């Protein structure tokens, strides 16, 4: 795989707990395993769920020593995503922030990771030049792409918070694909409708990325149950309508991810469960075909 620029994917939903973080992690892990693609994951959520999933020990309570040491060094050297944002918004002229392996953590040879920090909670209040933040991720990616110290990434995946923060906008205004997981419930079509009909207005004048919606936590008995299929159909219609009304490229993916009891928070304990690998590979297949 060799692209000039990495393909960028942001996982979002206004709704909490739909599986944004789980999906981001599983997609990254599955791809870096079944292909030789190099993947970079970003945790942009101050809740730090992805960071915990990646950094926590199997016990789920303590940080893995290697990660903990790295994280402490990164924080004390002021090399976190928050420091990068701070430098970017307070810069007088050029954006002076070195993007090396004290900013990016190497999970495996092909799977790298930029963790979150709690300081991001206050970013909305502390950032003086709000408008400048919109350009932040684009400029940061530019640095990563141009760095001679870093590998050439094929994919960059962003785990976004359930609220729309300045950072989310910054990602949405420059990514190639917005990936929206939904769950089989009443909120699936309502929430999808809300997002699809407000994104364009928010992101303009930047081009609107392609949008892909899919069912996570599908109730299944081999295949999705009647109830889950009902919600899938509802969301599919919402996607079709929004595509027409808003003139945005929106697709409801055929692939679904089943609900699997006991998806672990701590990732170190064996990665993506075996029975979820195939569903995530199918989802990747569809994502790749759909991506610009
Ligand atoms: N396919 C699945 N099957 C079973 N449980 C799942 C599945 N996907 C996610 N979960 C569980 O649902 C919960 C919420 O998942 P996750 O943290 O990924 O959601 P989120 O959308 O990132 O939440 P937040 O809005 O807080 O960021 C977690 O306990 C996770 O293990
Ligand atoms: Mg999350």
């Amino acid at each position: 795989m060799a692209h000039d620029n990495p393909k960028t994917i942001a996982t979002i939903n206004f709704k909490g707990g739909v599986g944004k973080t789980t999906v981001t992690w599983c997609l990254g892990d599955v791809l870096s395993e079944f292909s030789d693609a190099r993947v970079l994951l970003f945790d942009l959520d101050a809740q730090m769920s992805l960071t915990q999933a990646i950094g926590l020990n199997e016990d789920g309570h303590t940080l893995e020593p290697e990660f903990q040491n790295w994280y402490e060094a990164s924080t004390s050297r002021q090399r976190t995503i928050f420091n990068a944002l701070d430098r970017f918004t307070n810069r007088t002229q050029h954006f002076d922030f070195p993007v090396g392996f004290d900013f990016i953590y190497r999970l495996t040879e092909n799977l790298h990771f930029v963790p979150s920090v709690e300081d991001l909670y206050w970013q909305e209040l502390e950032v003086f030049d709000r408008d400048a933040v919109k350009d932040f991720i684009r400029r940061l990616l530019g640095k990563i792409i141009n760095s001679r110290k870093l590998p050439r990434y094929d994919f960059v995946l962003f785990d976004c918070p359930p609220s729309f923060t300045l950072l989310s906008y910054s990602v949405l205004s420059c990514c190639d694909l917005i990936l929206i997981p939904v769950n089989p419930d009443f909120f699936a079509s309502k929430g999808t409708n809300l997002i699809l009909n407000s994104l364009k207005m928010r992101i303009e004048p930047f081009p609107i990325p392609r949008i892909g919606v899919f069912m996570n936590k599908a109730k299944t008995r081999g295949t999705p149950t009647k109830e889950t299929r009902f919600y899938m159909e509802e969301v599919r219609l919402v996607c079709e309508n929004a595509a027409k009304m808003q003139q945005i490229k929106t697709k409801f993916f055929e692939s679904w991810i089943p609900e699997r009891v006991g998806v672990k928070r701590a990732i170190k304990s064996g990665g993506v469960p075996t029975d979820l690998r195939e569903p995530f590979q199918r989802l990747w297949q569809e994502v790749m075909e759909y991506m610009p």
Side-chain angles (χ1 to χ4, degrees):
M1 276 204 190
H3 311 287
D4 284 341
N5 281 342
K7 299 282 184 198
T8 50
I9 302 176
T11 315
I12 66 156
N13 197 326
F14 289 139
K15 187 165 159 52
V18 292
K20 297 177 288 294
T21 302
T22 307
V23 163
T24 308
W25 152 250
C26 289
L27 283 175
D29 187 56
V30 164
L31 185 70
S32 73
E33 187 161 288
F34 83 76
S35 76
D36 59 2
R38 285 184 189 265
V39 184
L40 177 62
L41 304 176
F42 269 86
D43 185 356
L44 295 184
D45 187 354
Q47 287 186 95
M48 299 181 56
S49 309
L50 184 60
T51 303
Q52 288 179 30
I54 286 175
L56 281 177
N57 273 319
E58 244 175 276
D59 63 16
H61 301 296
T62 50
L63 281 179
E64 206 220 346
E66 193 191 324
F67 179 75
Q68 181 164 23
N69 289 338
W70 178 91
Y71 193 76
E72 279 167 10
S74 169
T75 313
S76 70
R77 281 188 209 135
Q78 306 212 317
R79 292 286 190 271
T80 71
I81 183 92
F82 181 79
N83 303 133
L85 179 63
D86 196 42
R87 290 272 188 96
F88 183 72
T89 52
N90 289 317
R91 73 197 190 282
T92 42
Q93 274 182 337
H94 67 257
F95 176 25
D96 173 28
F97 183 82
V99 285
F101 287 120
D102 47 4
F103 171 64
I104 295 174
Y105 181 72
R106 280 169 287 193
L107 264 166
T108 65
E109 169 81 15
N110 284 344
L111 187 58
H112 295 183
F113 173 56
V114 176
S116 178
V117 273
E118 285 174 5
D119 295 326
L120 286 181
Y121 272 125
W122 312 111
Q123 155 235 329
E124 303 279 322
L125 298 174
E126 283 183 2
V127 166
F128 179 66
D129 188 354
R130 295 172 62 86
D131 225 40
V133 180
K134 277 205 169 167
D135 234 16
F136 170 60
I137 293 290
R138 187 194 316 272
R139 294 285 301 281
L140 187 65
L141 277 176
K143 273 192 180 295
I144 291 172
I145 291 164
N146 291 323
S147 166
R148 265 182 272 142
K149 280 182 256 154
L150 297 175
R152 189 178 280 265
Y153 293 106
D154 299 290
F155 290 91
V156 183
L157 310 186
F158 297 93
D159 181 27
C160 297
S163 53
F164 264 27
T165 60
L166 289 172
L167 261 185
S168 316
Y169 280 125
S170 178
V171 176
L172 299 184
S173 60
C174 73
C175 67
D176 297 310
L177 178 75
I178 295 176
L179 195 57
I180 307 178
V182 296
N183 296 158
D185 56 37
F186 171 77
F187 197 81
S189 60
K190 296 265 173 261
T192 309
N193 198 35
L194 185 68
I195 296 181
L196 296 185
N197 287 302
S198 52
L199 269 184
K200 189 174 180 181
M201 182 182 85
R202 295 291 174 189
I203 295 176
E204 273 173 350
F206 294 107
I208 318 301
R210 285 181 195 214
I211 302 169
V213 186
F214 70 97
M215 183 61 70
N216 180 38
K217 303 193 196 178
K219 306 249 189 282
T220 57
R221 274 189 285 277
T223 55
T225 61
K226 199 171 160 196
E227 193 192 14
T228 292
R229 276 186 280 124
F230 169 81
Y231 289 119
M232 286 171 78
E233 205 44 47
E234 270 200 343
V235 178
R236 183 200 314 283
L237 288 176
V238 166
C239 291
E240 282 173 12
N241 276 333
K244 262 189 241 140
M245 303 295 289
Q246 299 282 335
Q247 312 230 296
I248 48 179
K249 291 206 169 71
T250 307
K251 186 181 164 79
F252 183 72
F253 291 132
E254 299 291 326
S255 323
W256 38 269
I257 306 295
E259 180 173 53
R260 185 197 186 274
V261 184
V263 176
K264 286 222 179 110
R265 270 204 100 77
I267 282 162
K268 278 277 143 60
S269 46
V272 180
T274 336
D275 48 336
L276 285 189
R277 292 187 170 270
E278 213 184 293
F280 273 108
Q281 285 192 18
R282 278 202 300 268
L283 180 61
W284 255 124
Q285 215 77 48
E286 260 193 291
V287 165
M288 303 260 201
E289 282 162 18
Y290 180 56
M291 212 120 64

